[in-house]
C-alpha cells in the first residue's frame, strides 16, 4: 500500500512540552522533558502519524520582570536572551519540534485575549478584590491551610517558596462553578491525568470540603504581561496567558484554520509534576468555560535526582545536559535519560550506573552485535548481504520477535509513556540475537557449513535492521548510522518496513562497518601519594 495512504489513515497526533519559564537557563529537567516528548513524537511519526510537536518559552509574570531588573535588563531583552538559550537547546539535543512558541509573540497576545473574551462572555469572569498569600516563584496564591510557618513569621508555599500577603483589585474566574464538572470529567475520562498517582492527587484537591474557590486571573501590581481586553490597568494572570500557548501554536483563535481543525484537541501535554494542578484543574476549566474541547491527556513526569539527592545549587549537584553530552555523547545521553526514569516517577542519575548501563546496553549488547555481524558479512560474504537458505526454528523465532512481537509491545508502551519498558524490550531482543549468534557460531559454520553461515548472518542482519528502526526515536543519529551500514534507503526507515515483506535484499552491498556505540571508559581518580 502507498505509504502516504497509510499515514492518511492514522489520526494526526499533537504533543507538547510545557513551555519553559525564562527566569533561568536550561537545566537537566528541561532537557529530560524535551527529550521525552521528542522520543514520543518521533515514534508516532515513524508509526505513520502526521505529528505536530510544540515547545516554547513562558515569558510573562512578576518573577520574570524582577529577574530582568536584577540583571539590569528590560524584560523584553531579558526574555529574548533566555528564550534563545532554549531554542538552542532544542537544536543541541536534536529535538524534532515542529513549532516553538514564545508568549511575547503578537499571535499569542491575540489568542490569550480571545480566550479571555470567550470566558467573560460565558459570565465566568468578574471584577473583585483579592486578598491572600502569594508566591512570586510559583506565580500563585495559596490558602492558609496550604502554608507552613518559618522563622521570623515567614510563611512558605508547598513548593518551599516564601509567600507574602497581597491585596489588589482583580478579575476572578468562577472556578467554583466547575468543581462537579471537573470531577465528572475525571471519572468519565480516567486517562485524562497520568500517571494514576497524579490523578489521585488532583481528585483529592478538587474534592476538598467546600469545593474549588474562584481564581484570581489578573494583576495590577506590575505590567509585564498580556493586557486584559478593555481594561489596560490589569494584565492577565500568567497561567491563563501561558496555558493558552497550546492553542496559539496551532492557529487559535482561528477555529477554521487547517492546523487547528487538524490537531486540536491536543493528544497529550507533557509536563513536570510540580505544575500538575495548573494543567489539570485550571486549564480544563478555562476550556470548558470557552466551550473548547479538552486535550486527551496530561502526562506529569517526575524529577531527576542526582546520586539520590534532589538537584540543588547549595548541594552542588546540579548537572547541565551539556555536561552529559560532552562526557557520553548525545544519543547516549538521550538513551540513559529514557532508560533510567520510570513511568511518571522520579528518576535517579548515578554516573557509575549510567556508564555501566550505556556500556552494557549500547556498546556491548546492541553495538557489538552489529559490529561483529556486519564485519563477518563484509569479510566472508563478498561484502554483500548473504542469501538465506531454508530457515530453521531458531531463525524463525528470532525473526518473529523482530518483525512482530517487539513492535506490538512498543506501541503499547509508548502510548503509556513507559519508554523505559520499551527500551528494555528492545535490549532483550538484542540479547536474544547475541545468544543466537553464540549458539549458531557462524565463525565455525564458515568451514563446516558455509551455506548455513549465510543464513545465520542474514537472520542477524535482518534483526539488526529492525533493532535500528526501533531505536530511531531514542538514538536517531546512531540508529541512522546503523541503517546506513545496511544501505537502507531513507524512504524505508519507518515502522511499516518492520516486517517480513520488507526484509533485507540479498546481494545488497555493504560498506566496511564501523563501531556505532563506543565503550565509555571513565578515568580513574588520581590517588594521593602516601608517606
Amino acid at each position: 500500500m502507498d505509504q502516504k495512504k497509510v499515514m492518511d489513515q492514522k489520526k494526526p497526533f499533537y504533543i507538547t512540552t510545557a513551555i519553559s519559564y525564562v527566569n533561568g537557563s536550561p537545566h537537566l529537567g528541561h532537557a529530560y522533558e524535551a527529550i521525552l516528548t521528542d522520543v514520543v513524537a518521533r515514534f508516532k511519526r515513524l508509526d505513520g502519524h502526521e505529528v505536530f510537536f510544540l515547545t516554547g518559552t513562558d515569558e510573562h509574570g512578576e518573577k520574570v520582570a524582577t529577574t530582568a531588573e536584577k540583571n539590569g535588563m528590560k524584560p523584553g531583552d531579558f526574555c529574548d536572551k533566555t528564550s534563545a538559550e532554549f531554542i538552542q537547546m532544542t537544536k543541541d539535543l536534536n529535538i524534532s519540534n515542529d513549532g516553538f512558541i514564545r508568549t511575547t509573540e503578537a499571535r499569542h497576545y491575540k489568542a490569550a485575549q480571545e480566550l479571555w473574551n470567550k470566558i467573560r462572555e460565558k459570565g465566568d469572569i468578574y471584577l473583585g478584590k483579592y486578598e491572600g498569600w502569594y508566591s512570586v516563584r510559583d506565580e500563585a496564591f495559596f490558602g492558609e491551610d496550604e502554608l507552613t510557618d518559618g522563622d521570623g513569621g515567614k510563611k512558605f508555599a508547598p513548593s518551599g517558596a516564601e509567600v507574602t500577603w497581597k491585596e489588589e483589585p482583580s478579575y476572578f474566574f468562577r472556578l467554583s462553578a466547575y468543581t462537579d464538572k471537573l470531577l465528572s470529567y475525571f471519572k468519565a475520562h480516567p486517562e485524562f491525568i497520568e500517571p494514576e498517582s497524579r490523578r489521585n492527587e488532583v481528585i483529592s484537591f478538587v474534592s476538598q470540603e467546600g469545593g474549588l474557590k474562584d481564581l484570581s486571573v489578573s494583576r495590577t501590581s506590575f505590567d509585564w504581561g498580556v493586557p486584559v481586553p478593555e481594561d489596560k490597568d490589569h494584565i492577565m494572570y500568567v497561567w491563563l496567558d501561558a496555558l493558552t500557548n497550546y492553542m496559539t501554536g496551532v492557529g487559535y483563535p482561528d477555529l477554521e484554520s487547517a492546523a487547528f481543525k487538524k490537531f486540536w484537541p491536543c493528544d497529550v501535554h507533557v509536563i513536570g509534576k510540580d505544575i500538575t494542578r495548573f494543567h489539570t484543574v485550571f486549564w480544563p476549566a478555562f476550556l470548558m468555560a470557552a466551550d473548547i474541547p479538552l486535550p486527551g491527556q496530561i502526562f506529569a513526569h517526575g524529577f531527576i535526582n542526582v546520586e539520590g539527592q534532589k538537584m540543588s545549587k547549595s548541594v552542588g549537584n546540579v548537572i547541565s545536559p551539556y555536561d552529559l553530552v560532552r562526557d557520553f555523547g548525545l544519543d547516549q545521553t538521550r538513551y540513559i535519560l529514557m532508560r533510567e526514569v520510570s513511568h511518571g516517577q522520579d528518576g535517579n542519575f548515578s554516573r557509575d550506573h549510567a556508564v555501566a548501563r550505556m556500556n552494557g546496553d549500547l556498546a556491548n549488547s546492541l553495538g557489538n552485535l552489529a559490529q561483529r555481524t556486519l564485519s563477518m558479512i563484509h569479510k566472508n560474504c563478498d561484502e554483500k548481504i548473504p542469501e538465506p537458505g531454508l530457515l530453521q526454528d531458531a531463525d524463525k523465532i528470532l525473526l518473529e520477535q523482530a518483525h512482530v512481537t517487539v513492535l506490538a509491545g512498543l506501541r503499547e508502551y509508548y502510548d503509556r509513556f513507559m519508554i523505559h519498558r520499551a527500551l528494555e524490550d528492545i535490549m532483550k531482543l538484542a540479547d536474544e540475537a547475541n545468544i543466537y549468534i553464540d549458539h549458531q557460531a557462524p565463525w565455525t559454520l564458515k568451514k563446516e557449513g558455509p551455506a548455513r553461515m549465510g543464513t545465520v548472518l542474514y537472520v542477524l542482519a535482518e534483526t539488526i535492521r529492525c533493532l535500528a528502526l526501533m531505536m530511531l526515536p531514542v538514538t536517531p543519529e546512531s540508529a541512522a548510522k546503523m541503517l546506513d551500514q545496511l544501505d537502507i534507503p531513507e524512504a524505508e526507515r519507518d515502522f511499516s518496513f518492520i516486517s517480513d515483506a520488507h526484509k533485507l535484499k540479498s546481494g545488497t552491498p555493504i560498506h566496511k562497518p564501523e563501531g556505532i556505540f563506543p565503550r565509555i571508559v571513565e578515568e580513574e581518580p588520581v590517588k594521593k601519594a602516601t608517606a
Side-chain angles (χ1 to χ4, degrees):
M1 180 180 289
D2 181 82
Q3 293 305 305
K4 187 178 186 302
K5 290 182 179 179
V6 172
M7 180 174 286
D8 288 344
Q9 290 173 359
K10 292 200 173 185
K11 179 183 177 296
F13 184 78
Y14 180 25
I15 187 169
T16 77
T17 65
I19 50 175
S20 301
Y21 212 43
V22 294
N23 63 311
S25 298
H27 54 64
L28 190 58
H30 295 117
Y32 169 73
E33 182 169 300
I35 293 170
L36 172 62
T37 312
D38 176 63
V39 165
V40 175
R42 286 177 182 272
F43 185 93
K44 288 293 184 178
R45 289 192 196 100
L46 290 165
D47 208 21
H49 295 264
E50 183 179 0
V51 172
F52 193 83
F53 166 19
L54 182 71
T55 188
T57 44
D58 180 4
E59 304 182 21
H60 289 135
E62 184 175 5
K63 183 165 51 176
V64 171
T66 301
T67 305
E69 184 179 356
K70 288 180 179 178
N71 284 271
M73 302 177 70
K74 294 180 179 179
D77 294 337
F78 176 77
C79 289
D80 288 344
K81 174 181 176 294
T82 312
S83 183
E85 294 181 30
F86 283 93
I87 293 172
Q88 188 60 46
M89 182 192 76
T90 65
K91 297 176 181 177
D92 293 339
L93 298 180
N94 200 6
I95 306 301
S96 64
N97 54 297
D98 301 286
F100 191 99
I101 181 73
R102 296 182 59 187
T103 56
T104 48
E105 295 178 52
R107 61 171 175 156
H108 181 68
Y109 275 61
K110 182 180 178 181
Q113 290 177 329
E114 177 66 12
L115 181 61
W116 177 285
N117 286 334
K118 289 296 182 184
I119 297 172
R120 185 183 58 187
E121 289 169 8
K122 189 79 168 285
D124 283 336
I125 287 180
Y126 63 91
L127 184 62
K129 178 183 178 183
Y130 195 87
E131 299 179 346
W133 295 103
Y134 185 72
S135 160
V136 173
R137 190 171 89 189
D138 297 317
E139 298 279 9
F141 285 97
F142 294 92
E144 190 80 40
D145 58 338
E146 296 180 275
L147 305 178
T148 55
D149 295 324
D151 296 337
K154 293 181 179 179
K155 293 181 179 292
F156 297 89
S159 65
E162 185 177 354
V163 297
T164 56
W165 184 262
K166 274 200 172 188
E167 298 182 18
E168 61 178 311
S170 176
Y171 284 93
F172 285 80
F173 169 66
R174 297 185 196 278
L175 185 62
S176 59
Y178 291 86
T179 300
D180 292 339
K181 293 177 183 178
L182 288 169
L183 290 174
S184 295
Y185 192 84
F186 299 156
K187 183 176 181 180
H189 301 275
E191 75 287 350
F192 180 66
I193 306 171
E194 285 288 342
E196 185 179 4
S197 58
R198 303 281 113 76
R199 181 166 66 251
N200 292 338
E201 291 170 3
V202 171
I203 291 174
S204 177
F205 172 73
V206 177
S207 303
Q208 63 185 305
E209 186 176 352
L212 295 169
K213 307 295 189 295
D214 287 355
L215 178 69
S216 171
V217 289
S218 75
R219 302 287 182 269
T220 59
S221 54
F222 59 97
D223 61 4
W224 183 241
V226 179
V228 167
E230 300 180 8
D231 191 342
K232 304 308 180 186
D233 292 334
H234 291 251
I235 62 163
M236 291 171 57
Y237 173 45
V238 69
W239 276 103
L240 177 53
D241 154 17
L243 289 163
T244 310
N245 93 87
Y246 303 127
M247 295 195 298
T248 306
V250 289
Y252 186 80
D254 184 0
L255 303 183
E256 296 303 312
S257 70
F260 193 84
K261 291 176 72 173
K262 179 180 292 185
F263 291 110
W264 195 265
C266 183
D267 290 271
V268 58
H269 298 314
V270 180
I271 65 168
K273 66 178 183 179
D274 55 328
I275 54 175
T276 304
R277 184 183 301 180
F278 304 104
H279 282 80
T280 60
V281 180
F282 300 168
W283 182 225
F286 294 154
L287 293 173
M288 287 177 178
D291 296 318
I292 295 171
L294 274 58
Q297 184 176 100
I298 313 295
F299 180 79
H301 62 77
F303 297 149
I304 296 179
N305 298 320
V306 176
E307 305 294 349
Q309 290 184 297
K310 184 178 179 180
M311 277 194 290
S312 167
K313 289 182 180 179
S314 60
V315 176
N317 66 344
V318 175
I319 296 179
S320 161
Y322 297 106
D323 294 338
L324 299 185
V325 173
R326 178 198 65 214
D327 294 346
F328 304 135
L330 175 54
D331 277 359
Q332 288 87 340
T333 296
R334 289 170 60 99
Y335 180 82
I336 200 64
L337 291 177
M338 294 302 98
R339 185 67 179 85
E340 291 303 306
V341 182
S342 300
H343 172 72
Q345 305 303 309
D346 288 349
N348 181 55
F349 177 81
S350 163
R351 192 175 185 92
D352 289 345
H353 180 74
V355 170
R357 172 72 75 186
M358 288 182 283
N359 283 339
D361 289 1
L362 298 179
N364 295 350
S365 187
L366 181 57
N368 187 49
L369 171 69
Q371 176 75 1
R372 60 176 175 164
T373 298
L374 300 185
S375 293
M376 286 195 68
I377 292 175
H378 189 268
K379 182 178 180 180
N380 299 297
C381 303
D382 295 326
E383 303 177 8
K384 298 176 182 178
I385 298 296
E387 179 75 34
L390 188 66
L391 297 181
Q392 298 181 3
D393 287 346
D395 311 329
K396 294 176 182 178
I397 290 171
L398 186 59
L399 290 174
E400 177 72 11
Q401 288 181 284
H403 287 154
V404 181
T405 310
V406 176
L407 181 59
L410 298 191
R411 289 191 174 106
E412 179 181 351
Y413 288 139
Y414 268 85
D415 282 343
R416 298 171 62 191
F417 278 79
M418 300 179 75
I419 314 303
H420 65 296
R421 292 293 303 276
L423 291 174
E424 185 179 322
D425 276 10
I426 292 172
M427 289 304 153
K428 283 181 180 177
L429 176 58
D431 289 341
E432 287 297 320
N434 278 303
I435 293 171
Y436 170 88
I437 193 174
D438 288 340
H439 283 176
Q440 298 297 325
W443 45 87
T444 301
L445 291 172
K446 178 182 177 181
K447 293 182 179 180
E448 298 178 358
R452 176 60 188 162
M453 177 196 72
T455 301
V456 168
L457 291 177
Y458 178 90
V459 169
L460 286 165
E462 173 62 8
T463 301
I464 291 165
R465 182 186 72 89
C466 295
L467 283 165
L469 289 170
M470 294 174 194
M471 287 293 288
L472 278 171
V474 180
T475 59
E477 292 182 346
S478 302
K481 289 178 182 177
M482 204 173 292
L483 292 168
D484 288 343
Q485 293 186 3
L486 289 167
D487 200 30
I488 305 301
E490 289 288 340
E492 297 180 10
R493 297 186 182 189
D494 66 54
F495 295 158
S496 68
F497 287 90
I498 299 180
S499 71
D500 181 70
H502 298 287
K503 61 192 175 187
L504 285 169
K505 298 178 178 64
S506 299
T508 300
I510 64 169
H511 300 291
K512 184 177 181 180
E514 297 178 358
I516 302 295
F517 294 108
R519 184 173 179 80
I520 297 168
V521 179
E522 292 276 75
E523 293 184 7
E524 292 290 335
V526 178
K527 296 182 179 180
K528 292 183 179 180
T530 55

